[in-house]
Amino acid sequence: MATLIKVPCSSANIGPGFDVIGLALNLYLELEVTVSKKDRSEHSLNCNITYEGVGAEDVPLVAEDNLITRTAVYVLRCNGVRAFPAETHVHVKNPIPLGRGLGSSAAAIVAGVYLANEVGNLKLSKARMLDYCLMEERHPDNVAAALYGGFVGTYLNELSPEDTERLEIPLSEVLPEPAGGVDTGLRPPQPPLNIGHYTKFPWSSDIKCICIIPQFEVSTAKARAVLPESYSRKDAIFNMQRLAVLTTALGQSPPDPDMIYTAMQDKLHQPYRSGLIPGLTEMLQSVTPQSHPGLLGICLSGAGPTILALATDNFDSIANHLLAEFQKEGITCDWKLLQPATDGATVSNSLNSTQAEAMTYASSGVSIDAGNQLVQQIKASTKSTRRPGADGEIGGFGGILDLQAAGYAEAPILVGAIDGIGTKVKIAFEMGKHDTVGIDLVAMNVNDLVVQGAEPLMFLDYYACSKLDIASAAKFIEGVANGCRQSGAALVGGETAEMPGIYQEGEYDAGGAAIGAIKKGATILPDTAAMREGDILLGMSSSGVHSNGFSLVRKIVERSGLSFHDTAPWSPEQNIGTALLTPTKIYVKPLLAAVRKNLLKGMAHITGGGLSENIPRMLPKTLTAELDAKTWPLPEVFKWLKKTGSLEHSEFQRTFNTGLGMVIVVSPENAKAALELLQGEGESVYEIGRLIKRGEEEEEVVVHNMDVWG
């Protein structure tokens, strides 16, 4: 049986947090550990090391020299075990770049302590593992972040000379290579208890981390060497003031860019490293929340040259600017969009235990604690959707709506709708942007309600994933709450399901259900009996592709040879992924205003099936909808999709909304009033056609002049 140990990378020295605060990020060092029962092994310390990852050619594969296994042997020897079981195979997968300020050494040390705990069956608690880590690596910010996950603050107890004078203790303020204590043949003393102390700070789910990783290393020793022996009182106070503010500001939602940008300034370590990183000062000053909306703050990630930019949006633009700044200095960089690794180090499939490990729900891949944390994080979002009749509170077994308090004195007609988002979520995974698809989920439901004249009153969502990522799930539900506010529905409840084995890691799917009401005596639309030949068709503009046809969209992007991170050919200020994630427009409030004035006979929400399959759903069998494609503009995104995909007119209009998200039937005498009312609500509305008598062989929808689409 194999054991998998995963340890996240980490960022330290966030702004003024010099060896004080650390942040675990979702880029993981992995150890695949197997033990085969042999009498002896030809490998040093009975450990066969294999390695894959950046800089693999420079990593020592001898157990005495490798940082991970040296750490493990130190822990084993403290517990009376001289070497690994024969034979232990440790396969290392390490995407964390070495010497770049992303906590590669801390991740290795945490992994080493975990490795010893597993192969030695030591049953160490996480708190005790922290003590072992801190005897090897005296930087608690990175270590505690990698071990415990999330956004942590730390400090160390001073060690006595007796605790550090033995040669077997691998204490090192700045890690040398090889690391680890001297093998004297003696048993090293156990580390003192509770060497380090930590606390977890809240981290806003809005905030993601843009990591700009230059292709050169700055060792911890070099980074320390440039620092002065003492600092001015003024500079020390400057950092203390900002650090006190920063740990609170990064947990607030929505984040305050002015507060965070100022609070991330530093005078104790960053300025002194400008000589190690060409153009550092100018680079850090070149991006601000004003120059790059979405940016919150920017700093060095740690000892190495990695730049950490905290942002809520506009990730590609910020990253591309910083890459260009480094390029001016002749430095090539990679970049990654990361978010907090809330669980820290994890281990699965424990080996070497003579009796079966006590199983928990978490050991199967489902975290009840993560679900509880998510509920706490989204309570403010859900409460923002409250309306008369529903308070927007969550946490019960069901959502409650008081119809009388909602304004329905008599029993109304209830209308329900249920729908999902579709494969548009795959673009959200790729871009790490999850809020807009939350709006899509609501839109697909409430737009279906309003076409019957129903007022949306309540909404429930279902979110299913492999492993719950609190940050992305919270962002998604913030989008759901946004959609609920736009439509006037209260988000009264939902369900989150972790189903490892069904969904791929990092992926999810979501469904939603909306309940609406029509007052007693009001007309339930469509009113097909009132429709006549000559009635006018109005079209309300869409915001883009909305939430249908994305399996074809993704194929077209693939055919184009572009990636979702490339500039959108139809929208040069955005990349393709962000542009395509523009959320579905919610039409509820303007259409309800028109319904209440009895201006409308029917409405069709243009979703999957396009014009030809949705408009007939509101028509009597005796009438055909005759449309003129010249009467409304075709958005640029559709022009690009049609041309790049070489789509025939008929296929194009039955797959996409072609720029119309809603089509309405009105009488000729009400057309002007309906048009003015909807335009007064901020909608773009066009007279696109009329109803004509339908012959026996005639189509239900006829679209003329489709050649204007190209």
Side-chain angles (χ1 to χ4, degrees), residues 503-687:
Y503 294 96
Q504 296 294 317
E505 185 173 351
E507 296 189 351
Y508 58 82
D509 194 14
I515 302 296
I518 301 172
K519 286 192 174 182
K520 187 174 182 179
T523 301
I524 299 173
L525 299 178
D527 187 0
T528 55
M531 292 183 186
R532 300 284 185 271
E533 183 180 358
D535 280 347
I536 303 298
L537 293 169
L538 301 179
M540 299 176 71
S541 69
S542 66
S543 56
V545 187
H546 282 187
S547 198
N548 298 101
F550 273 87
S551 294
L552 179 57
V553 168
R554 290 185 296 110
K555 287 286 187 184
I556 293 172
V557 173
E558 183 180 331
R559 172 190 278 195
S560 75
L562 299 171
S563 81
F564 290 112
H565 297 278
D566 289 326
T567 299
W570 65 89
S571 181
E573 70 280 2
Q574 294 178 292
N575 57 44
I576 291 173
T578 303
L580 289 172
L581 286 173
T582 300
T584 305
K585 184 177 281 192
I586 293 175
Y587 299 96
V588 169
K589 291 183 179 178
L591 286 177
L592 283 179
V595 166
R596 286 164 184 154
K597 290 185 177 292
N598 296 314
L599 295 175
L600 312 182
K601 293 184 178 183
M603 295 173 268
H605 181 202
I606 310 303
T607 57
L611 301 171
S612 61
E613 294 187 23
N614 285 291
I615 293 176
R617 295 165 69 181
M618 67 167 170
L619 299 180
K621 299 296 184 184
T622 56
L623 295 172
T624 285
E626 184 181 54
L627 281 66
D628 184 349
K630 292 192 296 185
T631 58
W632 75 90
L634 183 68
E636 294 298 318
V637 60
F638 289 120
K639 293 178 183 177
W640 184 83
L641 288 169
K642 188 174 189 301
K643 180 179 179 181
T644 308
S646 302
L647 300 180
E648 297 290 340
H649 296 327
S650 59
E651 183 65 19
F652 176 61
Q653 70 87 18
R654 71 190 294 267
T655 303
F656 299 119
N657 65 56
T658 71
L660 299 176
M662 195 71 70
V663 173
I664 307 161
V665 177
V666 295
S667 64
E669 57 269 24
N670 285 335
K672 182 180 179 183
L675 196 68
E676 290 176 349
L677 186 152
L678 295 172
Q679 289 174 338
E681 294 283 336
E683 298 294 327
S684 296
V685 189
Y686 309 94
E687 185 173 324

Side-chain angles (χ1 to χ4, degrees), residues 417-429 433-446 448 459-465 472-473 475-481 483 495 503 507-513 545-554 577 580-586 605-608 655-657:
I418 187 167
D419 209 338
I421 307 163
T423 60
K424 188 174 184 177
V425 293
K426 282 191 167 290
I427 301 176
F429 307 153
K433 183 174 174 57
H434 306 283
D435 55 336
T436 55
V437 288
I439 299 173
D440 285 307
L441 181 63
V442 178
M444 296 303 290
N445 282 279
V446 297
D448 280 354
F459 191 83
L460 300 100
D461 68 287
Y462 173 75
Y463 181 97
C465 58
S472 58
K475 199 68 180 174
F476 173 82
I477 295 168
E478 285 176 24
V480 172
E495 173 68 10
Y503 294 96
E507 296 189 351
Y508 58 82
D509 194 14
V545 187
H546 282 187
S547 198
N548 298 101
F550 273 87
S551 294
L552 179 57
V553 168
R554 290 185 296 110
L580 289 172
L581 286 173
T582 300
T584 305
K585 184 177 281 192
I586 293 175
H605 181 202
I606 310 303
T607 57
T655 303
F656 299 119
N657 65 56

Side-chain angles (χ1 to χ4, degrees), residues 257-258 261 287-295:
D258 295 327
Y261 187 82
V287 285
T288 67
Q290 289 71 42
S291 69
H292 291 76
L295 180 79

Side-chain angles (χ1 to χ4, degrees), residues 209-256:
C209 304
I210 303 166
C211 297
I212 309 295
I213 308 167
Q215 299 288 339
F216 69 91
E217 295 183 29
V218 174
S219 69
T220 304
K222 275 187 181 178
R224 296 255 164 179
V226 299
L227 299 179
E229 290 294 322
S230 60
Y231 298 93
S232 72
R233 181 177 183 178
K234 179 181 177 183
D235 287 352
I237 291 172
F238 179 96
N239 270 39
M240 290 170 65
Q241 289 173 332
R242 279 149 183 79
L243 181 58
V245 170
L246 185 65
T247 51
T248 297
L250 291 175
Q252 295 173 335
S253 185
D256 182 342

